Amino acid sequence: MAVTLTIHDDLPRFLAKPLRGKAIPPIRLERRTSIKDFLEALGIPHPEIHRLLVNGREQDFACPVGPDDRIEVFGLPLPTDPTLPTRLRPALPALRFAVDANVGKLAGLLRMTGFDTFFEPTMNDEALAEISRRERRILLTRDHTFLKRKKVVHGRLVRHHKPSEQLREVIELYGLRDRIEPFSRCLRCNDRLRKVTKEEIIDRLLPLTIKYYDDFRICPRCARLYWPGSHRERMLKIIKEL
Ligand SMILES: [Zn+2]
C-alpha cells in the first residue's frame, strides 16, 4: 500500500530532483499527516496549490492522507483570481501585494503600474508574513521556504530573475493587464497620487517644467511631485514592453 501522487502544471519544480520526472513512484506513508504537511514535506509550498483531488474528490488542506490514497495536485491557473474563494483558501477583498526584499525591484514596478504594494526591505520574514496575513495581501517572493509559513495564505514564488519579466509574470498570473494604472501611485510610499494644479505647486517647479508641463500629481504622504517628464517616460516604456 502506498500513496500515488500526480503533480500537475509546473509544480514538479518544487520536488526534489529524483522525483521531478513525469511519474512519481508510489510513496509509503510513514506517519499520520494532513495533506498540506505531506505535500510541503515533499517541497510544494501550500500557497502554490490551487486544487487537491483525493481519490477523485475535491479536498482541503486538513484532509488526512490515507495509506493508499490517490492524490492529484494542481497549481494556480492562468489567470488566477484570488478575490474568488476556493476550497483551499478564502477570497481576498482586493488584489494587493506584499513583496519580499529578494524581489525589491518588482515592488517598484508594481507601484509604477498602479498596484497596491507593501514593501519594507528591512523587515524580517516573520513580520512580513504577518503583514500579508493581517492586511490580506499576496506575498511575492523568490524564497520557497518563506511560502511554507503558516501565516502566508495567498502567495507566489516569483519564477523569473529579471524584474521586467517578474512584472509580466505577476500581471499575467493575476490577469491584471486591464487594471494597469501608470502614474497613479507614489513609488516611495505606495499612496495613491492626487491631482494638483500647477498654481498650487508652482514655487516647487523649475522654469522649464512650468513651461512644458501641465499635468501634475502629488503624493499625499511625502509630497513628492510627479509629472510626465519625471517618471512617466520610464513607466510608459516598461508598460509598452508588457
Ligand atoms: Zn510618497
Side-chain angles (χ1 to χ4, degrees), residues 186 189 219 222:
C186 181
C189 316
C219 170
C222 72

Side-chain angles (χ1 to χ4, degrees), residues 53-84:
L53 291 181
V54 180
N55 305 321
R57 292 181 61 181
E58 197 99 21
Q59 294 291 357
D60 63 28
F61 285 131
C63 175
V65 181
D68 51 1
D69 277 349
R70 282 178 296 108
I71 300 176
E72 277 192 80
V73 187
F74 297 84
L76 301 180
L78 207 67
T80 192
D81 184 358
T83 64
L84 299 174

Side-chain angles (χ1 to χ4, degrees), residues 96-98 116-118 131-132 135-139 154:
R96 295 184 305 206
F97 300 100
D116 188 334
T117 303
F118 179 90
I131 290 274
S132 82
E135 298 188 4
R136 304 178 76 186
R137 292 172 177 273
I138 299 167
L139 187 93
H154 291 265

Side-chain angles (χ1 to χ4, degrees), residues 199-217:
E199 289 66 38
E200 284 177 75
I201 42 126
I202 201 154
D203 54 335
R204 294 179 55 192
L205 302 175
L206 295 170
L208 281 179
T209 310
I210 296 172
K211 187 168 173 194
Y212 290 112
Y213 299 104
D214 293 304
D215 180 16
F216 294 93
R217 300 189 192 193

